[in-house]
Amino acid sequence: MSLMEKYPKEVKQILAKYPPEFKRSAVMPLLYLAQRGEGYVTKSAMTEIARALDITETEVASIIGFYTLYHDKKEGRYRMQVCADLPCALRGADKFLAELCGNLGIRVGETTPDGTVTLESVACLAACDKAPMFQIQSPDGIEYHENMTIDRTMELVEALKRSGQEGR
Amino acid sequence: MAHILLRHRDIPNLNVFEVYKKNGGFEAFKNAVKTMKPEDVINAVKNSGLRGRGGAGFPTGMKWSFMDNKSWPHYVVANADESEPGTFKDREIMEQNPFQFLEGVALGSYAVGAHAAYIYLRGEFWQVAAFLDERIAEMEKAGLLGDKLFGTEYSLRIHTHLGAGAYICGEETALLESIEGKRGQPRVRPPFPPAVGLFGKPTVINNVETFANVPMILANGADWYKSIGTADSAGVKIFSLSGRVKKPGNYELPFGKTFRDLIYGEGGGILEDRPIKAIMPAGASSSFIVADDKALDTVLDYASVRTLGADLGSASVIVIDDTVSVEWVVNKTLHFFKHESCGKCTPCREGTYWMLNVIKRIEHNRQAEDVSMLYDVAKQMQGKCLCALGEFATMAVTTGIERFPADFGR
Amino acid sequence: MADVTLTIDNKQVTVPAGTLVVDAAKRAGLDVPVFCYHPKLEPAGMCRMCLVEIGRPMLDRATGKPVLDEAGEAKIQFMPKLETACTNPVSEGMVVKTQLTSEKARAGQKGTVEFLLTSHPLDCPVCDKGGECALQDLTMAHGPGQSRFLFDEKQRLAKQLPLGELIWLDRERCIQCARCIRFQDDIAGESVLGFEERGRMMQIVSMSEPGFDSIFSGNTTDICPVGALTTSDFRFGARPWELNAAPSICAQCPVGCNLTFNTRREAKADGQIVIKRVMPRQNEQVNEIWMCDKGRFAYHYVESEKRLTRPLMRRDGKLAKVSWKAALDLAAEKLSEHKKNSVTLVSGRLSNEDLYNLNIFAGKTEAILYTDMGGGDLTSLVGVSDGTNIGDMGKGDAILVIASDLYNEAPIWWLRIKAAAERGATLIVAGGRAAKLDRFATFTIRYAYGDEIKTIEDLGGKSKIAEAFRKAENALIFYGSDGLGLAGSTSLAAACANLLKETNHIGRRNNGLVGVWPRVNDQGAWEMGFRPTADLAEALKGKAVYIVGADPAGDDPALAKALKSAKFVVVQDISMTATAELADVILPAQPHTERAGTFTSGERRVQRFYPVVPAFGESRPDFSITAQLARQMGIILEGSSLPIVFDFIAHSLPAFDGLNYDRLAEVTEQWPMVGRGDMYYGGTTYENKDGLGAHLSSAAQRGETFKLPAAKNVKPLRPKEGELLAVPVTQLYDLGNTVASAELLAQRIGAAAISLHPETAGKLGAADGETVKISWNGSQSEVRVRTDEGLAAGVALVPRSFGIALREPMTLTVKPAKKVK
Ligand SMILES: Cc1cc2nc3c(=O)[nH]c(=O)nc-3n(C[C@H](O)[C@H](O)[C@H](O)COP(=O)(O)O)c2cc1C
Ligand code: SF4
Ligand code: FES
């Protein structure tokens, strides 16, 4: 089903934000909309967005390619994006990330075998006083988890796995 | 002293519409629209001495007065990209004191004759954006935003726009490109946004914290605001304190306190009471300050910090103690800048890649030749990049090697 | 605009306000190196190669007057940082120090080169661009002798990546200057290239179907400052320094783009000189520095296997090789024998000189131009005048395009008219279907096919559009034959001519009528006196025919039939065609690449072309063959000197008065300067050293009195229930003789297909891509169906030169084809 059919209200709201002659502005919010469900932008969604905004697929792809929160490939349903940037690292983020790798049995950039979690190391998330922290990007949005411990993180992973199985 | 920006710390539930309203909220905006000319609002901000809180410290009222009045419509953009490592103040304002910020945006819009304002939030602030959308809806419902406000001809709408993971979009022209649905790459300047900005029209761009000051200035008067802080820097500033301190967090202080007040007073001192070694006053983009007594006793305002060979910037103070090697810090910043360089201009695109390669080699096997090369490459980038990101990427490198030679085996 | 005086490297320079420092330097003969800047593109300021020191007079805050030093000179304040010469416009009193006088600028530029090289491979020895590479040249001139970057830390990327089947990308060589992307976005208006990723990972991508879906793609390989973009046609073909260059004119459409053919001798061609590539040659009034992909890639017909190399004669029903003498003797004998009953049929592929000789040769006998488009007599009267340049048009001017899909029919006009519209010209696009130009139009008019005349008549009326056209300071009309045959286009031309006259848009530069002809020199053929005929089959039947450069039998079975019943057929052409197959005598001619001559463009600009490669076999130039044939028949024509033939033309036709070969070869300085030692600036486009050509004068310009015919109102054809209105249209890439042999373009040409609105197709039970049987005028054919939302219901577009002989609008029925098992 097309985006416009699936989310007519949202699409309308998004387009209303920008002057009609600059509807290209809607490309970023529409890409977030396209990531709902699968967690990445499918080729057909790209085409649809391009048509709706009078731009080319190349232009849409080039936006996806520039911004790190858009994805054009299917990976884990939950992207666990750990901040390992300077301020967090000064408060133990590197160690936290390493231990997390051990617990999950994967390296940074990899996905758990069941497809639940992809582990990523990202730039500063503006939560420097609450390290260690990470955000979870899922098809439904982004959620912060701050002042984390390994135990609490693993509990969360278990919960995600369970909800993923129920959802299936 | 009561908070001016982090007022929610004094008034519980300030992010609830009724609470904000009960505490004098929206009066400044209503009063301005009904009784003041736009120029008067600009003049009040000018006279208050308010300077931009996003990093460059440019006088806000002056920026507003630059708007090209021959070209319409005008736009206002709030920069809520907050991606500088070590900065986390705008998020607290938007989550805890959102209406003061929104009222500031509304006042700014009225001052420059804009009927639409956009708040550009980094993509990670997904929940913050949703929260703001609800607050905006509340304001619309209460007749504080929308058409013909307070029975005048003035109309205003505020929209949020989410970025999607790109530090460069904090740079104001890259930000505009991003709202226009393009890759966030900076534009050639001039023309500057007040002449040609969003959708090709005159645009004012200010940081969230800058806007949050405005309702208070209008409510209490420019002289009141000017009386706070120092002669160079009026008013208050939120310091995002992070790194090796006991109590990291945001602290609102009037300009004029010292690094010692901030780090040892508010921040509770260094973790495990170790000796302090270095300060990065403006996040990963900072020059290193050698944290000696002179530095610690330096007054926190734009001019004084400059005497230490650094910029106060957005006042994201990262504290480094003696357990940390400056070389390691530089390595971290280079990972960041290499990842965030937009790629548009040669020195930054190639220089960040090159420097990262060199610092990684230094990490494994430090050789004097590589340290000099790292320094040279940084110097070669300086003054040649299209936007300030490229410049930022070199600051820790050159000042790190110059001011902490021992950490590089020099 | 007012002029500004500044100092660059101690040299005083005066340039128009708004000029960029880099261009001001160029005009003063000082070269500031650039990579991302291109004089035809908006500055991007991204490569940071053009760093210079810029100082401006210090102004007194209070008075706004310059502050003076002790010597009474204005004090100059230099910026602490180097600035980019490509983004800074000049200002009065500015002082610029380039690398020639500033150590700081020199160091800055050197640094930029070093940065660029950190990511660039060192494969110059195998790179197509080697020898004409901006990076190579500027590294030699401004770079460091040695790089400090450790080579094996270089990022590895894809090296042979097809962006489509025409253009290849080497991602390691790309220096991210975005010239190609910016060309596609801003000049071609087809944003099919973009960057993916960011920072050092930034790479060019194309996501279109087919890849790099633009008809201007080849231009990006010219302006790419490195060997990142190369054409399938030329890559690994030769080294630039081995190539010779011969100036020419593109023969694919009426625009008349100026070209350069690059050639070299090749062992695999037995030491012959062969064409290696086609490059644009600058003519700011015609094609600027661009050309379309058809011109760039379809030239292979001149070397096709079907080329005729020797005269042939029919013996015992078969064509046999004979000597020129035998062939000419027989042709002359037979044509003389049927003198009263003979026809000369020519096409717009021929040069002016060929056509002049042919017209005299025909004398009082019928001289027919093989075309389905009329109105060339009117373009001679009210066509554009001397000095016309679409590139000068903008605000206050108007351009009307009617019944022409310029994108497919004359790509470079499309490009230039789009640019004029972007500069503010009022662009009116009137057509029976949606066209690519609509996007840039101020007004679009969508009429029902058949209502073309009415549309023009309405523009003489009171509407807003009519007003805009009338009030325009200058106005051009481009009319074509989209959906029209000879009768319709003839009427349309008359209607347009009358409108131009009524609105006083004739006889001055940038005013008048332009025909979007199917062939390069149709306008020249009209000037020489050739006229099309309404019933060609009838005209050929039972005659002795001399056909030069035309293939009627290949286009239309009815014409083949007519030819079969002709008394005697002489065909003179460059390759074997269906028509030649029917000939009694075949005379091998030379394409324009093997000889000299002139063409007259649709804008009535006469331009010279020059020999590029030696002649194939025994082929001869058309004007000579005709002269030889004529001599045998007692008519004396000049058959060896083209300048002399041209002088004859100039003396007999007022439009050509005052023109001669020398005049056509004149060149005046053009801006931007390209193609000299500074390929980094304008790209590999060739400088024009061999002539910008000259406009013919129109009768209106000469002040002659003439009467314009009224437009005949052809009654629009309205099909009945169950029928469709079939109209002929032109596709850029078709199966015409000059395109079909370009193997590279096969995928873009595709199969013959009629286009229908999806609803129309739906009603017929035909889906996109399906094969159907069509019948019209007693003929039948099987073709594919293509659906197109931009069409009106009940209309079927039939592409020309795809084997479906539809020369006029007609009714047509469609039935599903029998399923083949
Ligand atoms: C690379 C780069 C990143 C920046 N990031 C931010 C940011 O995240 N938030 C912000 O307010 N300003 C940021 N700025 C500064 C803005 O460009 C701009 O100066 C500021 O938004 C102006 O607002 P102000 O005058 O209120 O400070 C950044 C600048 C650069 C060069
Ligand atoms: S300095 Fe960096 S971020 Fe700024 S334009 Fe250049 S490449 Fe982009
Ligand atoms: S920055 Fe001036 S030429 Fe590229």
Side-chain angles (χ1 to χ4, degrees), chain C residues 184-216:
Chain C
Q184 286 302 133
D185 288 354
D186 302 345
I187 299 204
E190 303 185 303
S191 303
V192 292
L193 290 188
F195 278 129
E196 130 185 304
E197 309 270 347
R198 68 186 188 208
R200 185 73 278 287
M201 288 301 290
M202 205 160 84
Q203 300 161 49
I204 299 288
V205 282
S206 176
M207 300 290 285
S208 63
E209 296 274 353
F212 203 160
D213 187 14
S214 168
I215 61 168
F216 301 105

mmCIF file of all heavy atoms in Angstrom, chain C residues 184-216:
data_model
loop_
_atom_site.group_PDB
_atom_site.id
_atom_site.type_symbol
_atom_site.label_atom_id
_atom_site.label_comp_id
_atom_site.label_asym_id
_atom_site.label_seq_id
_atom_site.Cartn_x
_atom_site.Cartn_y
_atom_site.Cartn_z
ATOM 1 N N GLN C 184 23.377 19.110 -14.430
ATOM 2 C CA GLN C 184 22.097 18.403 -14.601
ATOM 3 C C GLN C 184 20.941 19.163 -13.935
ATOM 4 O O GLN C 184 19.862 19.263 -14.498
ATOM 5 C CB GLN C 184 22.188 16.980 -14.048
ATOM 6 C CG GLN C 184 22.981 16.019 -14.912
ATOM 7 C CD GLN C 184 22.445 15.877 -16.320
ATOM 8 O OE1 GLN C 184 23.192 15.932 -17.289
ATOM 9 N NE2 GLN C 184 21.140 15.719 -16.482
ATOM 10 N N ASP C 185 21.192 19.706 -12.759
ATOM 11 C CA ASP C 185 20.128 20.420 -12.047
ATOM 12 C C ASP C 185 19.788 21.739 -12.740
ATOM 13 O O ASP C 185 18.641 22.039 -12.985
ATOM 14 C CB ASP C 185 20.564 20.764 -10.609
ATOM 15 C CG ASP C 185 20.613 19.542 -9.712
ATOM 16 O OD1 ASP C 185 20.205 18.456 -10.172
ATOM 17 O OD2 ASP C 185 21.065 19.666 -8.565
ATOM 18 N N ASP C 186 20.813 22.521 -13.014
ATOM 19 C CA ASP C 186 20.564 23.909 -13.394
ATOM 20 C C ASP C 186 20.470 24.105 -14.901
ATOM 21 O O ASP C 186 19.669 24.900 -15.371
ATOM 22 C CB ASP C 186 21.672 24.819 -12.839
ATOM 23 C CG ASP C 186 21.770 24.705 -11.321
ATOM 24 O OD1 ASP C 186 20.821 24.172 -10.719
ATOM 25 O OD2 ASP C 186 22.791 25.115 -10.756
ATOM 26 N N ILE C 187 21.304 23.423 -15.646
ATOM 27 C CA ILE C 187 21.306 23.676 -17.090
ATOM 28 C C ILE C 187 20.404 22.694 -17.813
ATOM 29 O O ILE C 187 19.560 23.082 -18.609
ATOM 30 C CB ILE C 187 22.744 23.674 -17.625
ATOM 31 C CG1 ILE C 187 23.490 24.797 -16.918
ATOM 32 C CG2 ILE C 187 22.751 23.811 -19.152
ATOM 33 C CD1 ILE C 187 24.670 25.356 -17.588
ATOM 34 N N ALA C 188 20.557 21.399 -17.527
ATOM 35 C CA ALA C 188 19.735 20.409 -18.224
ATOM 36 C C ALA C 188 18.344 20.285 -17.605
ATOM 37 O O ALA C 188 17.419 19.810 -18.247
ATOM 38 C CB ALA C 188 20.431 19.052 -18.225
ATOM 39 N N GLY C 189 18.193 20.705 -16.358
ATOM 40 C CA GLY C 189 16.885 20.583 -15.713
ATOM 41 C C GLY C 189 16.462 19.139 -15.515
ATOM 42 O O GLY C 189 15.281 18.833 -15.465
ATOM 43 N N GLU C 190 17.425 18.255 -15.450
ATOM 44 C CA GLU C 190 17.116 16.836 -15.228
ATOM 45 C C GLU C 190 18.000 16.357 -14.075
ATOM 46 O O GLU C 190 19.159 16.001 -14.283
ATOM 47 C CB GLU C 190 17.415 16.020 -16.490
ATOM 48 C CG GLU C 190 16.654 16.538 -17.688
ATOM 49 C CD GLU C 190 16.826 15.695 -18.943
ATOM 50 O OE1 GLU C 190 17.970 15.492 -19.391
ATOM 51 O OE2 GLU C 190 15.805 15.234 -19.466
ATOM 52 N N SER C 191 17.430 16.372 -12.879
ATOM 53 C CA SER C 191 18.234 16.087 -11.687
ATOM 54 C C SER C 191 18.396 14.588 -11.478
ATOM 55 O O SER C 191 17.866 14.025 -10.537
ATOM 56 C CB SER C 191 17.578 16.719 -10.460
ATOM 57 O OG SER C 191 17.434 18.096 -10.662
ATOM 58 N N VAL C 192 19.143 13.992 -12.362
ATOM 59 C CA VAL C 192 19.294 12.535 -12.266
ATOM 60 C C VAL C 192 20.656 12.131 -11.719
ATOM 61 O O VAL C 192 20.984 10.954 -11.666
ATOM 62 C CB VAL C 192 19.058 11.852 -13.628
ATOM 63 C CG1 VAL C 192 17.599 11.980 -14.031
ATOM 64 C CG2 VAL C 192 19.957 12.449 -14.697
ATOM 65 N N LEU C 193 21.452 13.106 -11.326
ATOM 66 C CA LEU C 193 22.702 12.795 -10.636
ATOM 67 C C LEU C 193 22.631 13.416 -9.253
ATOM 68 O O LEU C 193 22.066 14.488 -9.078
ATOM 69 C CB LEU C 193 23.910 13.402 -11.360
ATOM 70 C CG LEU C 193 24.337 12.831 -12.694
ATOM 71 C CD1 LEU C 193 25.662 13.478 -13.107
ATOM 72 C CD2 LEU C 193 24.498 11.323 -12.638
ATOM 73 N N GLY C 194 23.228 12.739 -8.302
ATOM 74 C CA GLY C 194 23.255 13.304 -6.960
ATOM 75 C C GLY C 194 24.413 12.709 -6.189
ATOM 76 O O GLY C 194 25.075 11.779 -6.649
ATOM 77 N N PHE C 195 24.659 13.282 -5.005
ATOM 78 C CA PHE C 195 25.643 12.700 -4.111
ATOM 79 C C PHE C 195 24.930 11.754 -3.166
ATOM 80 O O PHE C 195 23.824 12.038 -2.717
ATOM 81 C CB PHE C 195 26.332 13.772 -3.265
ATOM 82 C CG PHE C 195 27.451 14.479 -3.960
ATOM 83 C CD1 PHE C 195 27.498 15.862 -4.003
ATOM 84 C CD2 PHE C 195 28.485 13.762 -4.555
ATOM 85 C CE1 PHE C 195 28.541 16.522 -4.626
ATOM 86 C CE2 PHE C 195 29.535 14.412 -5.178
ATOM 87 C CZ PHE C 195 29.559 15.804 -5.222
ATOM 88 N N GLU C 196 25.615 10.673 -2.867
ATOM 89 C CA GLU C 196 25.108 9.809 -1.815
ATOM 90 C C GLU C 196 26.162 9.863 -0.712
ATOM 91 O O GLU C 196 27.297 10.203 -0.971
ATOM 92 C CB GLU C 196 24.894 8.420 -2.417
ATOM 93 C CG GLU C 196 25.467 7.274 -1.672
ATOM 94 C CD GLU C 196 25.284 5.978 -2.464
ATOM 95 O OE1 GLU C 196 24.144 5.676 -2.796
ATOM 96 O OE2 GLU C 196 26.285 5.295 -2.717
ATOM 97 N N GLU C 197 25.764 9.576 0.518
ATOM 98 C CA GLU C 197 26.672 9.675 1.665
ATOM 99 C C GLU C 197 27.165 11.104 1.850
ATOM 100 O O GLU C 197 26.704 12.025 1.189
ATOM 101 C CB GLU C 197 27.879 8.746 1.498
ATOM 102 C CG GLU C 197 27.511 7.324 1.154
ATOM 103 C CD GLU C 197 27.318 6.449 2.374
ATOM 104 O OE1 GLU C 197 27.700 6.872 3.469
ATOM 105 O OE2 GLU C 197 26.785 5.341 2.219
ATOM 106 N N ARG C 198 28.130 11.264 2.732
ATOM 107 C CA ARG C 198 28.678 12.604 2.973
ATOM 108 C C ARG C 198 30.144 12.480 3.351
ATOM 109 O O ARG C 198 30.679 11.384 3.456
ATOM 110 C CB ARG C 198 27.871 13.300 4.070
ATOM 111 C CG ARG C 198 28.045 12.668 5.429
ATOM 112 C CD ARG C 198 27.112 13.307 6.448
ATOM 113 N NE ARG C 198 27.408 12.829 7.775
ATOM 114 C CZ ARG C 198 26.510 12.746 8.751
ATOM 115 N NH1 ARG C 198 25.255 13.090 8.521
ATOM 116 N NH2 ARG C 198 26.855 12.309 9.944
ATOM 117 N N GLY C 199 30.758 13.652 3.576
ATOM 118 C CA GLY C 199 32.166 13.660 3.954
ATOM 119 C C GLY C 199 32.997 12.945 2.904
ATOM 120 O O GLY C 199 32.699 12.984 1.714
ATOM 121 N N ARG C 200 34.013 12.267 3.368
ATOM 122 C CA ARG C 200 34.905 11.586 2.435
ATOM 123 C C ARG C 200 34.210 10.427 1.692
ATOM 124 O O ARG C 200 34.666 9.949 0.676
ATOM 125 C CB ARG C 200 36.143 11.055 3.190
ATOM 126 C CG ARG C 200 37.202 10.427 2.325
ATOM 127 C CD ARG C 200 38.015 11.426 1.503
ATOM 128 N NE ARG C 200 37.427 11.875 0.263
ATOM 129 C CZ ARG C 200 37.307 11.149 -0.846
ATOM 130 N NH1 ARG C 200 37.729 9.918 -0.890
ATOM 131 N NH2 ARG C 200 36.780 11.659 -1.925
ATOM 132 N N MET C 201 33.047 10.001 2.202
ATOM 133 C CA MET C 201 32.331 8.896 1.564
ATOM 134 C C MET C 201 31.419 9.374 0.429
ATOM 135 O O MET C 201 30.740 8.584 -0.205
ATOM 136 C CB MET C 201 31.472 8.154 2.594
ATOM 137 C CG MET C 201 32.263 7.318 3.579
ATOM 138 S SD MET C 201 33.239 6.069 2.730
ATOM 139 C CE MET C 201 31.898 4.990 2.166
ATOM 140 N N MET C 202 31.371 10.673 0.229
ATOM 141 C CA MET C 202 30.450 11.247 -0.747
ATOM 142 C C MET C 202 30.757 10.732 -2.158
ATOM 143 O O MET C 202 31.886 10.806 -2.618
ATOM 144 C CB MET C 202 30.621 12.764 -0.689
ATOM 145 C CG MET C 202 29.454 13.534 -1.131
ATOM 146 S SD MET C 202 29.556 15.206 -0.482
ATOM 147 C CE MET C 202 30.609 15.986 -1.683
ATOM 148 N N GLN C 203 29.731 10.206 -2.820
ATOM 149 C CA GLN C 203 29.936 9.615 -4.146
ATOM 150 C C GLN C 203 28.759 9.943 -5.054
ATOM 151 O O GLN C 203 27.633 10.051 -4.598
ATOM 152 C CB GLN C 203 30.042 8.088 -4.020
ATOM 153 C CG GLN C 203 31.194 7.631 -3.150
ATOM 154 C CD GLN C 203 31.026 6.212 -2.660
ATOM 155 O OE1 GLN C 203 30.742 5.321 -3.448
ATOM 156 N NE2 GLN C 203 31.172 6.008 -1.378
ATOM 157 N N ILE C 204 29.050 10.023 -6.335
ATOM 158 C CA ILE C 204 28.005 10.321 -7.313
ATOM 159 C C ILE C 204 27.128 9.085 -7.537
ATOM 160 O O ILE C 204 27.625 7.972 -7.654
ATOM 161 C CB ILE C 204 28.643 10.715 -8.666
ATOM 162 C CG1 ILE C 204 29.509 11.965 -8.508
ATOM 163 C CG2 ILE C 204 27.591 10.889 -9.754
ATOM 164 C CD1 ILE C 204 28.740 13.231 -8.301
ATOM 165 N N VAL C 205 25.817 9.308 -7.584
ATOM 166 C CA VAL C 205 24.900 8.218 -7.932
ATOM 167 C C VAL C 205 23.855 8.713 -8.923
ATOM 168 O O VAL C 205 23.581 9.908 -9.030
ATOM 169 C CB VAL C 205 24.077 7.689 -6.732
ATOM 170 C CG1 VAL C 205 24.895 6.785 -5.881
ATOM 171 C CG2 VAL C 205 23.444 8.807 -5.928
ATOM 172 N N SER C 206 23.276 7.767 -9.632
ATOM 173 C CA SER C 206 22.101 8.054 -10.437
ATOM 174 C C SER C 206 21.108 6.939 -10.185
ATOM 175 O O SER C 206 21.442 5.768 -10.256
ATOM 176 C CB SER C 206 22.446 8.095 -11.925
ATOM 177 O OG SER C 206 21.259 8.281 -12.667
ATOM 178 N N MET C 207 19.887 7.324 -9.836
ATOM 179 C CA MET C 207 18.878 6.314 -9.511
ATOM 180 C C MET C 207 17.817 6.222 -10.596
ATOM 181 O O MET C 207 16.807 5.563 -10.415
ATOM 182 C CB MET C 207 18.184 6.686 -8.194
ATOM 183 C CG MET C 207 19.086 6.780 -7.008
ATOM 184 S SD MET C 207 19.680 5.174 -6.507
ATOM 185 C CE MET C 207 18.194 4.542 -5.719
ATOM 186 N N SER C 208 18.012 6.917 -11.701
ATOM 187 C CA SER C 208 16.953 6.953 -12.713
ATOM 188 C C SER C 208 16.910 5.635 -13.492
ATOM 189 O O SER C 208 17.833 4.844 -13.456
ATOM 190 C CB SER C 208 17.188 8.122 -13.659
ATOM 191 O OG SER C 208 18.402 7.949 -14.354
ATOM 192 N N GLU C 209 15.806 5.441 -14.189
ATOM 193 C CA GLU C 209 15.637 4.286 -15.084
ATOM 194 C C GLU C 209 15.334 4.806 -16.477
ATOM 195 O O GLU C 209 14.310 5.455 -16.650
ATOM 196 C CB GLU C 209 14.445 3.431 -14.638
ATOM 197 C CG GLU C 209 14.568 2.779 -13.303
ATOM 198 C CD GLU C 209 15.293 1.440 -13.354
ATOM 199 O OE1 GLU C 209 15.568 0.974 -14.487
ATOM 200 O OE2 GLU C 209 15.588 0.889 -12.311
ATOM 201 N N PRO C 210 16.161 4.582 -17.470
ATOM 202 C CA PRO C 210 17.494 3.981 -17.395
ATOM 203 C C PRO C 210 18.458 4.883 -16.629
ATOM 204 O O PRO C 210 18.144 6.044 -16.383
ATOM 205 C CB PRO C 210 17.893 3.886 -18.873
ATOM 206 C CG PRO C 210 17.131 4.972 -19.544
ATOM 207 C CD PRO C 210 15.824 5.049 -18.810
ATOM 208 N N GLY C 211 19.615 4.336 -16.280
ATOM 209 C CA GLY C 211 20.580 5.102 -15.491
ATOM 210 C C GLY C 211 21.004 6.362 -16.216
ATOM 211 O O GLY C 211 21.129 6.359 -17.447
ATOM 212 N N PHE C 212 21.235 7.417 -15.460
ATOM 213 C CA PHE C 212 21.624 8.719 -16.004
ATOM 214 C C PHE C 212 20.697 9.075 -17.166
ATOM 215 O O PHE C 212 21.111 9.256 -18.308
ATOM 216 C CB PHE C 212 23.081 8.713 -16.471
ATOM 217 C CG PHE C 212 23.706 10.088 -16.511
ATOM 218 C CD1 PHE C 212 25.095 10.232 -16.509
ATOM 219 C CD2 PHE C 212 22.927 11.233 -16.545
ATOM 220 C CE1 PHE C 212 25.692 11.482 -16.539
ATOM 221 C CE2 PHE C 212 23.507 12.502 -16.580
ATOM 222 C CZ PHE C 212 24.897 12.619 -16.585
ATOM 223 N N ASP C 213 19.410 9.179 -16.826
ATOM 224 C CA ASP C 213 18.388 9.382 -17.846
ATOM 225 C C ASP C 213 18.304 10.862 -18.225
ATOM 226 O O ASP C 213 17.479 11.603 -17.717
ATOM 227 C CB ASP C 213 17.035 8.904 -17.294
ATOM 228 C CG ASP C 213 15.956 8.934 -18.359
ATOM 229 O OD1 ASP C 213 16.298 9.051 -19.543
ATOM 230 O OD2 ASP C 213 14.778 8.840 -17.986
ATOM 231 N N SER C 214 19.200 11.251 -19.097
ATOM 232 C CA SER C 214 19.197 12.634 -19.579
ATOM 233 C C SER C 214 19.742 12.623 -20.989
ATOM 234 O O SER C 214 20.646 11.845 -21.299
ATOM 235 C CB SER C 214 20.092 13.491 -18.683
ATOM 236 O OG SER C 214 20.330 14.739 -19.279
ATOM 237 N N ILE C 215 19.204 13.483 -21.837
ATOM 238 C CA ILE C 215 19.717 13.519 -23.208
ATOM 239 C C ILE C 215 20.888 14.483 -23.339
ATOM 240 O O ILE C 215 21.360 14.753 -24.425
ATOM 241 C CB ILE C 215 18.607 13.910 -24.205
ATOM 242 C CG1 ILE C 215 18.055 15.302 -23.886
ATOM 243 C CG2 ILE C 215 17.496 12.880 -24.199
ATOM 244 C CD1 ILE C 215 17.176 15.859 -24.983
ATOM 245 N N PHE C 216 21.329 15.009 -22.194
ATOM 246 C CA PHE C 216 22.475 15.912 -22.230
ATOM 247 C C PHE C 216 23.664 15.330 -21.469
ATOM 248 O O PHE C 216 24.607 16.029 -21.127
ATOM 249 C CB PHE C 216 22.091 17.273 -21.625
ATOM 250 C CG PHE C 216 20.955 17.937 -22.351
ATOM 251 C CD1 PHE C 216 19.676 17.980 -21.806
ATOM 252 C CD2 PHE C 216 21.157 18.493 -23.598
ATOM 253 C CE1 PHE C 216 18.628 18.585 -22.483
ATOM 254 C CE2 PHE C 216 20.114 19.098 -24.289
ATOM 255 C CZ PHE C 216 18.848 19.145 -23.738
#
